[in-house]
Amino acid sequence: MYTFDSRVRYSETDENGNLSLESLIDYMQDCTNFQSEDLGVGLEYHRQKNIMWVLNFWQIVIDEYPAMGENITVGTQAFGFEKMFGHRNFLVTHQGEPEHRIAIANSLWVLMDLKKGRPMIVTPEIGDVYGVHEPLPMDYASRKIKVPKDGGKECDPFLVQEYHLDTNHHMNNGQYVRMARAALEREITVRELRVEYRKQAMLGDQITPVIYETEEYCMVSLNGEDGKPYAVVQLFER
């Protein structure tokens, strides 16, 4: 497993002084990008090849939210490639205590051919550099999240701004989660997060959050003007 060590910064904490959910997601995204850079298949490689890995699904289980100043280790590993998909785990632990888990994640990525604007097969040249490891032990959820047909509460729409974008020129994966949580009328402590990304939101796109709440979870469908979701965010409360 590829890992890097860090210390929870004040700028990464919530109002309680603990690592925020969005910052935890940022750590995981940073980890996979650091691994790619160190393996020589980072941003410049992808620009030259006109390819891009796009996140299709997150499942993150959070055991605890470390406090500001705590030392942590963030790790990632690929555990399979099939057709245009790449499967990847993440693991966050207390630094020097690999058995003391903070969070674990399952994710599914799609390799895109930017010239053709569609998914492409993961070739050995692209996939083999990461290796394939045994999947980490966790309760793996389906990558498809079913949105209820009715009963949702529609919120005020917002426009995608420049500060929402990443180097791929679409809204960063963590921003969908931030917007979904902002739409909720109450603050919740999330023990498990699932996100299905269905299409990429670009600069100027209008997104309308629609909230569905049950006894088991809160769900926010981030819909475009056509009523179809850019992403579906499912939050299980601690």
Side-chain angles (χ1 to χ4, degrees), residues 34-220:
F34 287 161
Q35 182 188 34
S36 293
E37 291 293 336
D38 289 353
L39 291 172
V41 289
L43 292 177
E44 185 57 33
Y45 172 87
H46 286 87
R47 287 194 188 100
Q48 292 176 0
K49 296 288 186 180
N50 276 302
I51 61 176
M52 174 176 64
W53 284 103
V54 176
L55 184 59
N56 177 267
F57 174 73
W58 269 125
Q59 179 194 6
I60 305 175
V61 177
I62 304 103
D63 296 329
E64 63 178 89
Y65 291 89
M68 193 277 289
E70 289 194 46
N71 295 306
I72 63 174
T73 297
V74 187
T76 188
Q77 64 182 26
F79 66 90
F81 298 96
E82 54 179 331
K83 298 182 179 179
M84 70 285 291
F85 296 112
H87 300 268
R88 180 174 287 276
N89 281 135
F90 295 87
L91 181 65
V92 184
T93 62
H94 286 269
Q95 190 174 321
E97 302 177 63
E99 73 287 349
H100 193 165
R101 193 178 81 177
I102 292 170
I104 189 170
N106 164 40
S107 63
L108 182 68
W109 303 74
V110 178
L111 184 63
M112 296 293 296
D113 182 324
L114 297 182
K115 281 187 175 180
K116 297 180 179 179
R118 63 189 186 194
M120 62 176 285
I121 298 297
V122 181
T123 63
E125 175 193 0
I126 296 171
D128 286 357
V129 66
Y130 294 105
V132 175
H133 305 266
E134 287 295 318
L136 297 179
M138 64 179 293
D139 184 12
Y140 287 82
S142 169
R143 68 183 179 90
K144 294 293 185 181
I145 300 176
K146 186 176 181 180
V147 180
K149 292 183 179 179
D150 51 38
K153 178 184 178 181
E154 188 171 298
C155 303
D156 293 335
F158 63 87
L159 294 179
V160 178
Q161 307 289 334
E162 288 186 1
Y163 60 82
H164 294 133
L165 307 180
D166 58 21
T167 57
N168 297 319
H169 307 296
H170 59 71
M171 195 158 85
N172 182 268
N173 300 319
Q175 294 287 357
Y176 294 89
V177 177
R178 182 174 283 106
M179 296 304 173
R181 295 187 73 198
L184 297 176
E185 295 180 346
R186 61 189 179 90
E187 192 70 28
I188 66 172
T189 301
V190 178
R191 63 173 172 82
E192 183 171 347
L193 165 74
R194 299 175 188 174
V195 187
E196 182 188 354
Y197 297 91
R198 299 191 180 181
K199 58 180 179 178
Q200 299 171 28
M202 314 294 285
L203 182 65
D205 286 342
Q206 178 174 290
I207 298 179
T208 301
V210 181
I211 301 172
Y212 305 85
E213 290 202 56
T214 72
E215 292 183 357
E216 185 182 1
Y217 60 78
C218 295
M219 179 185 294
V220 182

